[in-house]
Amino acid sequence: MSWKSRGEPSPRSVISKKWTLLLCLGCFCAGMLFTNRMWTVPENKGITRRTAMEEEQLKLVSEGCNPKALHQKEVKRENKDIFGEVSKTHNAIQTLDKTISNLEMELAAARATQESIRSGSPLSGDSKTTDSSRKRRYLMVVGINTAFSSRKRRDSVRATWMPQGEKRKRLEEEKGIIIRFVIGHGATSGGILDRAVEAEDRKHGDLLRLDHVEGYLELSAKTKIYFATAVATWDADFYVKVDDDVHVNIATLGETLVRHRKKQRLYIGCMKSGPVLAQKGVRYHEPEYWKFGEPGNKYFRHATGQLYAISKDLATYISINQHVLHRYANEDVSLGAWFIGLDVQHIDDRRLCCGTPPDCEWKAQAGNICVASFDWSCSGICRSAERIKEVHRRCGEGENALWSASF
């Protein structure tokens, strides 16, 4: 009997349904696989980009919210602000310091003038014309320290390196250089010594009289009064002190000082550090030797007393504080002590302490003209009244050097 007659399905139809089911499942799986590949790649790329951007944003946000980071940024900002304020404050202090210095100079000048008027002591003929003198600025005031017994020394200086008469006035007007012999008064006011000096001043007009009693042991006091009087009488860049037994080349001195004109608080000279002499009876004995430490110690660095120069601000400082500045036995030590603790520039220039011929002569021939010449053994030119003319002839810079110099 055939399969159809029995009413049962044929094997072909049964196989077809199974394969149909398998094919359907296969197609479904293939479709799922295909769909995942097509959509997963762009989806992942998009997610990756968004994640990187989000991470960067989150990082910035996290840094902004991080207390340490905020503190560091705040500290940096505060440091910048502090540095800026410090710089502004420093500039303001410098400006204020200059203003105070100028006011102190004016105060010192007014105080010195007032004290001289109150005491009724004529400081010098120049003090009568203080106002007219202070209208201009001078390069330097050279004070030649002298004594009543040194008339021959003064005359020998007048005959050599110190211009006289109209030449001295021309020196002041054209070159801005003031030169005066510095001397005080005798123990008896108006005595024979004072009258002799007054007559000499009437003849030459080159003396600066101080309100001071002359005496070798009073040189430190005389130095203080000289600087106070000079700074009150003349407005200059530098104030020079020189002994009357020293030869000076004025043009070379001026050229030396001009090089330092723009600097402040200058102390120029031949710096030395000699022994502190404790033994009584010896020359340059130091009664207060114990202040300088153990026996055999040396002084602090200071300029030798034959010639030195200081700038106006230091001369003003001495003038203002002259009543409280301590005086040692030696005048050059006293000056150096007054500047201890101050912001002073010490300039050591060996041309300010040359020896007499042949030393200064050899240096002049080599083109290195000395500012000052003297004998160390005599603390000045030995027998200067007799020998200074020879020193001037052999070591002098020549008169033309002074008038051709430009300061």
Side-chain angles (χ1 to χ4, degrees), residues 136-140 169-178 261 401-407:
R136 68 159 294 175
R137 181 88 170 194
Y138 294 92
L139 170 62
M140 61 180 174
K169 293 181 180 179
R170 181 186 169 191
L171 182 68
E172 297 175 3
E173 295 173 359
E174 295 183 9
K175 305 300 180 180
I177 298 175
I178 304 290
R261 203 169 199 169
L402 178 58
W403 304 115
S404 62
S406 178
F407 303 123

Side-chain angles (χ1 to χ4, degrees), residues 6 16 24 72 155 199 226 246 264 288 294 325 328 384:
R6 292 184 181 180
S16 297
C24 290
Q72 291 177 353
D155 287 340
Y226 158 63
V246 174
Q264 293 181 332
E288 298 180 272
E294 300 300 325
L325 294 176
Y328 289 100
S384 64

